[in-house]
Amino acid sequence: KPFQPRQPDAPDGTWRMNGSAPIGGSRWGLRGSEDLGGGLKANFVLESGFNSDTGAPGNTSKLFDRQAWVGLSSSMGSLNFGRQDSLTR
């Protein structure tokens, strides 16, 4: 009989992924940058969460529920507008 790890609190004792794990969850997204010339770039990030067990979206009311922003950057820094990661997230 092959080895099967057991999870004590599961009804049938088998291990499963937990979609609500505190580690952060699964995500997919798009990230891009376009050189506008003169050292200026346009940037964007669109990022959405999903449940890795079922493939269901993490938030059904927003398509890109994690990050969704556009911005400009140069050698002097960057300026972004939209929903962005923060220190507490």
Side-chain angles (χ1 to χ4, degrees), residues 27-84:
R27 59 181 73 193
W28 75 275
L30 306 167
R31 180 180 300 256
S33 178
E34 180 69 27
D35 188 357
L36 301 175
L40 191 62
K41 286 185 179 182
N43 308 300
F44 75 92
V45 170
L46 299 170
E47 191 173 85
S48 187
F50 69 95
N51 182 321
S52 59
D53 285 343
T54 64
N59 184 336
T60 57
S61 65
K62 292 184 239 173
L63 177 59
F64 297 106
D65 61 330
R66 291 189 179 259
Q67 290 193 81
W69 59 263
V70 296
L72 296 172
S73 63
S74 72
S75 60
M76 296 178 61
S78 63
L79 180 63
N80 300 328
F81 297 96
R83 188 171 42 264
Q84 303 169 52

